[in-house]
Structures are given as structure tokens and as C-alpha cells.
Amino acid sequence: MFNIIITTFWIVFIAELGDKTQLQTMLLATQSKSLWPVFLGSSLALVLSSFLGVCASTILTKYISPHYLQTGAGVVFIVIGVLTLLGRM
């Protein structure tokens, strides 16, 4: 169980570094007199979105094979990447 926690932490931590959400949080922090509300708000948002992802995957895997979900997610990421490169996203 500890291995899953550590692996999940590093995957999410690395994935979130430098993304649009982090940049937006940095901009909000520059406009705020106190950093704590921005930190708490962004932390709670990440916790909630992670919770929703875990709940959704738990429900989906009851009806759809994890293999199909992984393949579908991979295809969606590739499509988003191609659309981004073409300037359509």
C-alpha cells in the first residue's frame, strides 16, 4: 500500500509541475495579499479532482475493462496532442 501512495504522489507531482493550473495558481498568488487562501483553494481543488477521478474509475471498472479504459485514455491524449499541435485546441 505504501508503494501505491508513493508512486501516485510522484506521478501526480511530476504531471502537475508547470501545467496551466500551476501557472494560474502562481498568477493568483501574485494578486493576493495572503498566500494561504490561494494555497488552500488550489490544494482543495486538486484533492477534489483526484477524489472524483478515483471514484469515477472505481465505478467505470465495474462495467468496462481497465484495459479498454487505458487504451481509450491513451487515444484521447494522442488526439488532444495532435489537435494542440495543429492549433485547434
Side-chain angles (χ1 to χ4, degrees):
M1 185 165 125
F2 186 70
N3 287 339
I4 294 172
I5 294 170
I6 295 298
T7 302
T8 304
F9 171 84
W10 283 113
I11 288 172
V12 172
F13 180 75
I14 299 291
E16 293 297 322
L17 283 178
D19 75 343
K20 295 181 290 186
T21 307
Q22 186 182 32
L23 296 174
Q24 182 61 38
T25 303
M26 290 168 56
L27 289 173
L28 284 170
T30 64
Q31 299 171 0
S32 177
K33 292 181 182 183
S34 174
L35 301 181
W36 286 107
V38 176
F39 173 73
L40 289 173
S42 64
S43 298
L44 290 172
L46 182 57
V47 168
L48 179 60
S49 65
S50 297
F51 177 74
L52 291 174
V54 170
C55 289
S57 68
T58 301
I59 293 169
L60 286 174
T61 54
K62 290 181 181 179
Y63 303 103
I64 303 171
S65 166
H67 172 74
Y68 292 129
L69 290 173
Q70 289 175 340
T71 302
V75 169
V76 169
F77 275 114
I78 291 170
V79 169
I80 290 171
V82 169
L83 291 174
T84 299
L85 288 173
L86 297 174
R88 299 191 179 189
M89 265 199 106

